[in-house]
Amino acid sequence: MASRVDTDEEGDNKGSMWDLDQKLDQPMEEEAGRLRNMYREKKFSALLILRLAYQSLGVVYGDLGTSPLYVFYNIFPNGVKDEEEVLGALSLIIYSLTLVPLLKYVFIVLRANDNGQGGTFALYSLLCRHAKIKTIPNQHRTDEELTTYSRSTFHERSFAAKTKRWLEERESWKSAILILVLAGTCMVIGDGILTPAISVLSAVGGIKVNQPHMGNGVVVLIAVVILVGFFSLQHYGTDKVSWLFAPIVLLWFLLIGGIGIFNICKYGSGVLKAFSPVYIYHYFRRGGKQGWTSLGGIMLSITGTEALFADLSHFPVSAVQLAFTLVVFPCLLLAYSGQAAYLMNNLTHSKDAFYRSIPERIYWPVFVVATAAAIVASQATITATFSIIKQALAHGCFPRVKVVYTSKKFAGQIYSPDINWVLMILCIAVTAGFENQNQIGNAYGTAVVIVFLVTTFLMILIMILVWRCHWILVLAFTCLSLVVELSYFFSVIFKVNQGGWVPLVIAGVFFIIMFVWHYGTVKRYEFEMHSKVSMAWILGLGPSLGLVRVPGIGLVYTELASGVPPIFSHFITNLPAIHSVVVFVCVKYLPVYTVPEEERYLVKRIGPKNYHIFRCVARYGYKDLHKKDEEFEKKLFDNLSLFVKLESMMEGCSDSDEYSLYGQQDGVLNNNGSTTSSNVELTINSIDSIVQVRSPPPNVNITVRSCGQISGQTEGDELEFLNNCRDAGVVHILGNTVVMARRDSNIFKKVAVDYIYAFLRKICRENSVIFNVPHESLLNVGQIFYV
């Protein structure tokens, strides 16, 4: 059985040498290697890669693929002056698609995935594992031994090591990185509001080409009806209809590519001159400020690239790269070139360039496919929004909302009813409020370019700390990315008053919510850390804790992974009785995408055995979801029983049977089977020990040599006692902590804590709902503290 026994962080270690048979060493190393290979080195056959590349079209590229519906209208909202202007715009589109989606994202950023997970918080988690920049320091050294906790090591004098130390020593930079991540996350949420609005409205707006007498109000009404139906069906998940996504998007790409070839052949191949970057220079020289501000419309040709990275979780990087290079990229180039060829011969048709360039015979089939593709694109963005909010929840950066799995087959398919209805209301408000897709396009561009910039800044740190690239490569990536993206950023600033303010307002509201919630979470954690109950006080109460110990088990939920939480002292000083067995339960999330089930639980004993106080730390990744209470309870008690058996075995092997309140002999068994010992005097506070409990591989035999007799009677008695207490009943004790600002706090802190944070706590889900605790077994303990 692989285990690790350490003393808590409050004291030193004391132990005796354990002599275990060498049979333990090799099987455990093989098992650890097998798990690491399973998570890190997934290999796929060529046929499977092709199949996954086909499936990725429907999930990853729907948003990027629907951009031809509205790009040229947003570039030329007032019409086109001459052919040269069209060639310049097309040249900018061609090189934007080449530099940002192809070179930056597909071949560089996708490689920065966190074990297949993409998005802003995935990059942040990757950084948190390589440098201690997480603002809630609740990690234990055993967390780094997880098979999914992969990270690089540095040479002490390397540039990466110096950068790591520099970041860890400066709290302001830790906060700056978190603020950057929150800003990117808020813009992705804004993207989830604007993508359905502009995609569906642009697709439905094509009906006016065939029905010119139809008014804008009717088009908007149809779009709103589609959006209401779309959001209302989210709770069913995409599992039942996702098999349709890939063929719809593939058909869409083939159609726009084929229409592009048709238009190039019909209206002349002179449009292909736009592949020369010379036309970009002419475009800006002739257009001046107007040409510069039109970059906001050109940037819409690469919107959806940010969702490409966020929706990565279901597919290997090679499949996504293959789909883009073989299908998406060439079809988009053909589609834009075909529309440009049509525009060069019809300069006044920029508003409906896509639908007007369609051959009349296939107009209605293309209209139906375009509408379906717009819905698929919206689904991809909504899924990415749910995913990134789930990641923010795991990092303590978002109020507690309900998250449920919509598929038993695919763990990544989740749904949040609270977020879904908020997105629907805001999306309908944007669609009905603007009516003009040009203004929605300006708003959309603002959100996307900020996500690009956030990704670039995080990628700089990834290249230094994770990849350890040479500074020249880092500088080249930084300069090239910032030249392109800052050009787009400064162009969209000119359109803030033309709709660009919408994502800024939406992101600003979400940023305040996320930042204040994270601030309150950090302050609550700091309060619990600084107010931990001393073991001297616990031991002074005696085994009865100064109360009547009634049959049953009390699960006390806390955010502390070490020490006794202050709410426990509040509980036993205000109530006359306490359960015979007390287990402090800490559910914490780590900066990894998942924690394997067999490595999830850490079990500790607090104080002497006759106190019957334990701690269980349940560790989750940001992709994991807390299961139902019955299953969680069962696994918790299974691991608790396993801990008691292991502890009894180790006590039987001790060189001395002495036990006192001031010292305890513990051994340290490392994962590789080696043992360590120390003879350092323990203080009272060091009695809290930790054991990582794992089920042994079936071919591992544990034998103990040169040890005393193992007392099976003590082990059996305690296991029987635990089972009897469990049969008597389990009560879940949750702290209802109220955070308030001190009287001498400034006005901003009072508003943030006493009003915003307090309001968010009232409207968000209770911990009992998140932990699936049944009401009949729930006990809330209130407490107030000031920050």
Side-chain angles (χ1 to χ4, degrees), residues 608-647:
K609 277 191 173 183
N610 57 347
Y611 280 59
H612 302 297
I613 304 177
F614 302 89
R615 174 183 292 108
C616 177
V617 181
R619 304 175 296 181
Y620 292 85
Y622 55 79
K623 188 182 176 182
D624 296 328
L625 196 64
H626 188 78
K627 299 297 179 63
K628 289 187 177 180
D629 176 63
E630 298 83 5
E631 184 180 350
F632 178 73
E633 272 188 24
K634 181 181 181 301
K635 291 181 179 179
L636 189 151
F637 289 118
D638 287 345
N639 282 274
L640 191 60
S641 300
L642 195 56
F643 166 82
V644 171
K645 293 177 183 177
L646 178 62
E647 187 186 46

Side-chain angles (χ1 to χ4, degrees), residues 300-334:
L300 294 179
S301 64
I302 55 176
T303 54
T305 307
E306 74 289 351
L308 179 156
F309 184 47
D311 285 325
L312 183 65
S313 58
H314 288 125
F315 306 99
V317 172
S318 54
V320 177
Q321 292 173 331
L322 190 66
F324 187 85
T325 52
L326 293 185
V327 178
V328 179
F329 187 62
C331 287
L332 286 176
L333 291 182
L334 288 171

Side-chain angles (χ1 to χ4, degrees), residues 578-691:
I578 190 71
H579 299 88
S580 299
V581 176
V582 176
V583 182
F584 296 111
V585 180
C586 173
V587 177
K588 72 173 183 178
Y589 287 86
L590 302 177
V592 295
Y593 77 103
T594 187
V595 175
E597 196 69 39
E598 63 273 14
E599 302 178 64
R600 175 150 293 158
Y601 297 92
L602 294 176
V603 179
K604 306 178 182 182
R605 181 187 291 278
I606 300 177
K609 277 191 173 183
N610 57 347
Y611 280 59
H612 302 297
I613 304 177
F614 302 89
R615 174 183 292 108
C616 177
V617 181
R619 304 175 296 181
Y620 292 85
Y622 55 79
K623 188 182 176 182
D624 296 328
L625 196 64
H626 188 78
K627 299 297 179 63
K628 289 187 177 180
D629 176 63
E630 298 83 5
E631 184 180 350
F632 178 73
E633 272 188 24
K634 181 181 181 301
K635 291 181 179 179
L636 189 151
F637 289 118
D638 287 345
N639 282 274
L640 191 60
S641 300
L642 195 56
F643 166 82
V644 171
K645 293 177 183 177
L646 178 62
E647 187 186 46
S648 177
M649 180 192 75
M650 300 179 81
E651 283 182 352
C653 297
S654 63
D655 294 334
S656 172
D657 292 333
E658 286 186 16
Y659 180 85
S660 69
L661 298 181
Y662 296 94
Q664 182 177 2
Q665 293 187 343
D666 292 327
V668 179
L669 176 63
N670 296 326
N671 283 343
N672 59 5
S674 64
T675 59
T676 62
S677 66
S678 60
N679 294 304
V680 182
E681 192 69 25
L682 283 182
T683 64
I684 294 176
N685 290 339
S686 65
I687 293 178
D688 186 0
S689 61
I690 177 173
V691 171

Side-chain angles (χ1 to χ4, degrees), residues 195-213:
T195 297
I198 192 170
S199 297
V200 174
L201 188 61
S202 299
V204 174
I207 200 171
K208 292 179 66 178
V209 174
N210 194 270
Q211 304 291 329
H213 300 295

Side-chain angles (χ1 to χ4, degrees), residues 460-475:
I460 294 170
L461 293 176
I462 293 289
M463 295 179 76
I464 295 173
L465 296 176
V466 182
W467 295 348
R468 290 168 290 172
C469 297
H470 194 278
W471 67 269
I472 294 178
L473 292 176
V474 178
L475 185 63

Side-chain angles (χ1 to χ4, degrees), residues 192-270:
I193 295 167
L194 296 169
T195 297
I198 192 170
S199 297
V200 174
L201 188 61
S202 299
V204 174
I207 200 171
K208 292 179 66 178
V209 174
N210 194 270
Q211 304 291 329
H213 300 295
M214 184 177 290
N216 284 334
V218 178
V219 173
V220 171
L221 181 62
I222 296 173
V224 168
V225 170
I226 292 175
L227 289 172
V228 170
F230 168 70
F231 281 101
S232 299
L233 296 175
Q234 286 297 309
H235 66 281
Y236 291 110
T238 58
D239 188 29
K240 296 180 181 179
V241 293
S242 59
W243 61 274
L244 280 173
F245 287 0
I248 288 173
V249 177
L250 178 61
L251 178 60
W252 169 250
F253 277 118
L254 294 178
L255 278 175
I256 62 175
I259 293 170
I261 294 173
F262 170 80
N263 286 323
I264 292 171
C265 295
K266 181 177 180 179
Y267 296 105
S269 59

Side-chain angles (χ1 to χ4, degrees), residues 2-6 32 35-36 40 129 139-151 590 592 595-596 599 602 619 668-672 690-694:
S3 62
R4 182 181 176 99
V5 183
D6 301 323
L35 288 170
R36 285 183 172 87
R40 298 180 189 173
R129 294 207 301 272
Q139 286 183 231
H140 193 273
R141 55 186 175 273
T142 55
D143 298 335
E144 299 176 7
E145 298 171 2
L146 292 170
T147 53
T148 52
Y149 200 99
S150 58
R151 61 175 182 173
L590 302 177
V592 295
V595 175
E599 302 178 64
L602 294 176
R619 304 175 296 181
V668 179
L669 176 63
N670 296 326
N671 283 343
N672 59 5
I690 177 173
V691 171
Q692 182 174 346
V693 184
R694 294 182 188 171

Side-chain angles (χ1 to χ4, degrees), residues 538 541-549 572 576-579 610-611:
I538 295 291
L541 296 175
S544 67
L545 299 177
L547 304 171
V548 177
R549 300 294 292 266
I572 63 178
I578 190 71
H579 299 88
N610 57 347
Y611 280 59

